Amino acid sequence: MSNTMNFLKRIFLVDILKGLAVTFRYTFKSVYTEQYPKEKPKLAERYKGAPRLNNDPETGETLCIACDLCAQICPEDLIVVGSQRDPESRKKVLTHYTFDTSRCLFCGLCQEVCPTNAIELTQDFELATYSRSSMLWDRERLEKGWDRIEFGKNYHK
Amino acid sequence: MIENLIIYFLIPFIKIGAIVLILSGAIAYLTLLERKLIAHIQVRLGPMRVGWHGLLQPIADGLKFVLKEDIVPSKADALIFTLAPMISLIPAFVVFSVVPFGPPGMFEGLLRGILSRFLESASVERIVSNPIASGGFVTDINIAVLFVLSVSSVGILGVILGGWASNSKYPLLGALRSSAQMVSYEVAMGFAIISVLLYAGSLSLVEIVQQQQAGGWWYFFIQPVAFFLLLVCGMAETNRLPFDLPEAETELVGGFHTEYSGFRFSLFFLAEYANMITVSALAVTLFWGGWLPPFPNVPWLGFLGIIPPVAWFLIKVFLILYLFIWVRGTLPRFRFDQLMNYGWKVFLPIALGHVILYAAILAI
């Protein structure tokens, strides 16, 4: 019985027709391809990318209180926080802040330890540059985002 | 005199020019259709960058082929090496001189409209009443089927010569494979066509379509097995994917055209796609009623006549081409011994038995 069934199956090309049906179904499935430079991929919610130093949205001043916690927790020692004590208010004031993206492993410990949410790893992942020196981000770049400074505009949006 | 000149010279030339132009465009966009369709089968997008959804991709590809360096390997036989792609391409186009795109007398009104401005009415009538001059085909010869078969097998020579003249291992192996394959499948294909000829009683492609009209049934409904045989053998003849052993990339680097690049390669490439269209057109003419709408003699289906005959022909050819690409996206390549087994041990006996069966039925 099964032999005759197999014979009939082979005669009427059942398996080939099944295969054709599968490929026909797939023709109308929505595609997986991402048109990357044209449309940005959807990243995971907690994706950790380019660092940013946040400003207070109301006053426009930096949120960083120069506590140096990020620099201390960083496993790669790539954050350098420069501060000065204001002689009048006796408060620490941020003078400079560098972040070396060439060594960063995007562990996110800095943003976790930050008491004021000043340093934050954003969803921006386009970090490639033409020189090693431009991988060292200074405070201006960290505050404004790097491509705005390099190209004058956010060119790929 | 002038009428003969127009009938036998001017009108065929215009038709040939139109067919060559349209066919080249069709081939170019067939490659795009194939890439897009295969891409969507594999849940990809395919070409997207050149033009809207890659619509200008074939033109960009053509430009690339033309601009590439023209390389003839130093150990190759230069003359045959240059000749081979042409031998492969020209027959693929020549075949279309007998393929009927529309019924005889299709251009009657158009011809009368144009010619009556220049000629007196008696000679206009003489030209218009010539069924070949006003028909939707270049010419109608009474051995058209044989013509198609013989001319299209000349194309195989191009493949063999190309592989031989390259003077290199892989092209030679590819050429040997393709000649063996094409020769063995030609036999079964011939028998599949013979059973149609038994029914139609004519070798003229126009006549075969007219017979289908008179019978009221496309031959597909009478001889589905023969259609299937023709389709499979057509795939083997044109080196399409389940049977693309001559150019099996994974085994033979590139098959018979390994040493070819640039424009010469594009000629082989064009020939392959032109052959695909040829086989589809042949299958449509023999089995799907050419320019006829479905069930041409059923009165309540008469509204299908709104679509012009040429459009019916093109729609059917498109569907068969779609099937070709669809099968390519589905099936893996056969092994060479399987290919030969199917050719000689399966398809040939089926085709022979089919012919004998139908001959017996017709005799009774």
Side-chain angles (χ1 to χ4, degrees), chain B residues 261-282:
Chain B
S261 60
F263 194 63
R264 289 179 220 283
F265 169 72
S266 81
L267 291 184
F268 272 128
F269 197 66
L270 286 178
E272 187 189 325
Y273 282 85
N275 281 330
M276 231 170 110
I277 299 180
T278 313
V279 169
S280 312
L282 193 66

Side-chain angles (χ1 to χ4, degrees), chain A residues 126 146-147 151 153-157:
Chain A
E126 289 163 325
W146 74 281
D147 44 359
F151 299 100
K153 58 175 181 183
N154 211 344
Y155 68 102
H156 49 58
K157 266 178 197 154

Side-chain angles (χ1 to χ4, degrees), chain A residues 10 13 16 19-20 23-24 26-27 30-33 35 37, chain B residues 37 40-41 43-45 48-49 228 322 326-327 329-331:
Chain A
R10 282 184 71 178
L13 304 170
I16 288 181
L20 285 173
T23 45
F24 192 70
Y26 269 77
T27 315
S30 55
V31 291
Y32 281 121
T33 313
Q35 297 278 85
Chain B
L37 207 59
H40 279 275
I41 283 172
V43 207
R44 297 183 288 120
L45 275 171
M48 284 293 279
R49 293 293 163 78
F228 171 73
Y322 185 99
W326 184 12
V327 167
T330 308
L331 297 181

Side-chain angles (χ1 to χ4, degrees), chain B residues 156-190:
Chain B
I156 304 171
L157 275 182
V159 170
I160 300 168
L161 287 179
W164 185 262
S166 298
N167 207 354
S168 155
K169 299 190 264 311
Y170 292 118
L172 183 60
L173 281 173
L176 287 177
R177 278 184 171 197
S178 78
S179 46
Q181 171 182 337
M182 286 167 161
V183 167
S184 46
Y185 276 82
E186 193 115 304
V187 183
M189 190 173 173

Side-chain angles (χ1 to χ4, degrees), chain B residues 216-345:
Chain B
W217 290 89
W218 293 350
Y219 285 149
F220 171 72
F221 299 111
I222 301 170
Q223 303 176 327
V225 178
F227 170 71
F228 171 73
L229 284 172
L230 180 74
L231 200 69
V232 175
C233 298
M235 282 176 193
E237 286 279 306
T238 53
N239 300 331
R240 293 295 303 171
L241 195 92
F243 308 101
D244 72 336
L245 287 117
E247 45 177 288
E249 297 94 341
T250 36
E251 300 142 42
L252 290 178
V253 186
F256 62 89
H257 54 57
T258 306
E259 302 290 347
Y260 282 89
S261 60
F263 194 63
R264 289 179 220 283
F265 169 72
S266 81
L267 291 184
F268 272 128
F269 197 66
L270 286 178
E272 187 189 325
Y273 282 85
N275 281 330
M276 231 170 110
I277 299 180
T278 313
V279 169
S280 312
L282 193 66
V284 164
T285 317
L286 292 176
F287 290 97
W288 293 85
W291 64 79
L292 301 173
F295 307 106
N297 294 345
V298 180
W300 59 269
L301 280 171
F303 66 91
L304 290 170
I306 294 170
I307 302 172
V310 178
W312 274 117
F313 181 82
L314 294 180
I315 290 168
K316 290 176 207 165
V317 169
F318 174 82
L319 286 178
I320 295 201
L321 288 174
Y322 185 99
L323 185 67
F324 266 86
I325 297 170
W326 184 12
V327 167
R328 184 195 156 177
T330 308
L331 297 181
R333 184 182 301 130
F334 282 117
R335 225 167 46 218
F336 195 67
D337 58 319
Q338 290 174 331
L339 178 91
M340 282 297 154
N341 272 344
Y342 281 122
W344 290 105
K345 291 187 189 165

Side-chain angles (χ1 to χ4, degrees), chain A residues 31 33 35 38, chain B residues 28-40 42 44-61:
Chain A
V31 291
T33 313
Q35 297 278 85
K38 263 192 192 165
Chain B
Y29 277 90
L30 183 58
T31 62
L32 180 69
L33 175 77
E34 172 156 32
R35 289 176 66 179
K36 278 299 217 192
L37 207 59
I38 297 272
H40 279 275
Q42 296 164 353
R44 297 183 288 120
L45 275 171
M48 284 293 279
R49 293 293 163 78
V50 194
W52 185 79
H53 279 248
L55 269 184
L56 299 177
Q57 185 72 42
I59 297 165
D61 285 347

Side-chain angles (χ1 to χ4, degrees), chain A residues 44-55:
Chain A
E45 215 176 301
R46 298 190 183 182
Y47 182 87
K48 292 177 292 213
R52 185 175 64 198
L53 201 57
N54 289 328
N55 288 331

Side-chain angles (χ1 to χ4, degrees), chain B residues 5-282:
Chain B
L5 210 62
I6 290 178
I7 291 176
Y8 296 113
F9 204 75
L10 186 64
I11 294 175
F13 258 77
I14 293 172
K15 281 179 184 166
I16 290 168
I19 286 175
V20 167
L21 279 181
I22 294 170
L23 199 60
S24 314
I27 292 166
Y29 277 90
L30 183 58
T31 62
L32 180 69
L33 175 77
E34 172 156 32
R35 289 176 66 179
K36 278 299 217 192
L37 207 59
I38 297 272
H40 279 275
I41 283 172
Q42 296 164 353
V43 207
R44 297 183 288 120
L45 275 171
M48 284 293 279
R49 293 293 163 78
V50 194
W52 185 79
H53 279 248
L55 269 184
L56 299 177
Q57 185 72 42
I59 297 165
D61 285 347
L63 267 180
K64 187 199 79 175
F65 278 135
V66 173
L67 293 176
K68 270 192 157 182
E69 188 189 350
D70 186 21
I71 300 169
V72 178
S74 57
K75 288 198 176 166
D77 186 334
L79 176 70
I80 299 177
F81 190 80
T82 25
L83 212 57
M86 300 178 207
I87 293 177
S88 173
L89 180 66
I90 292 168
F93 275 76
V94 168
V95 166
F96 281 87
S97 57
V98 292
V99 171
F101 297 91
M106 190 179 77
F107 296 123
E108 249 181 54
L110 186 74
L111 270 180
R112 190 172 285 134
I114 295 172
L115 290 175
S116 56
R117 294 187 188 176
F118 308 106
L119 300 168
E120 57 218 56
S121 63
S123 48
V124 169
E125 282 312 312
R126 233 197 101 203
I127 294 170
V128 168
S129 61
N130 185 318
I132 291 174
S134 57
F137 38 82
V138 177
T139 182
D140 173 29
I141 50 180
N142 54 4
I143 48 154
V145 174
L146 289 182
F147 179 80
V148 169
L149 286 180
S150 52
V151 170
S152 62
S153 28
V154 171
I156 304 171
L157 275 182
V159 170
I160 300 168
L161 287 179
W164 185 262
S166 298
N167 207 354
S168 155
K169 299 190 264 311
Y170 292 118
L172 183 60
L173 281 173
L176 287 177
R177 278 184 171 197
S178 78
S179 46
Q181 171 182 337
M182 286 167 161
V183 167
S184 46
Y185 276 82
E186 193 115 304
V187 183
M189 190 173 173
F191 277 113
I193 292 174
I194 282 175
S195 50
V196 170
L197 301 181
L198 283 174
Y199 241 82
S202 167
L203 279 164
S204 150
L205 290 173
V206 177
E207 182 77 22
I208 288 172
V209 177
Q210 282 169 337
Q211 287 292 334
Q212 295 183 51
Q213 188 163 26
W217 290 89
W218 293 350
Y219 285 149
F220 171 72
F221 299 111
I222 301 170
Q223 303 176 327
V225 178
F227 170 71
F228 171 73
L229 284 172
L230 180 74
L231 200 69
V232 175
C233 298
M235 282 176 193
E237 286 279 306
T238 53
N239 300 331
R240 293 295 303 171
L241 195 92
F243 308 101
D244 72 336
L245 287 117
E247 45 177 288
E249 297 94 341
T250 36
E251 300 142 42
L252 290 178
V253 186
F256 62 89
H257 54 57
T258 306
E259 302 290 347
Y260 282 89
S261 60
F263 194 63
R264 289 179 220 283
F265 169 72
S266 81
L267 291 184
F268 272 128
F269 197 66
L270 286 178
E272 187 189 325
Y273 282 85
N275 281 330
M276 231 170 110
I277 299 180
T278 313
V279 169
S280 312
L282 193 66

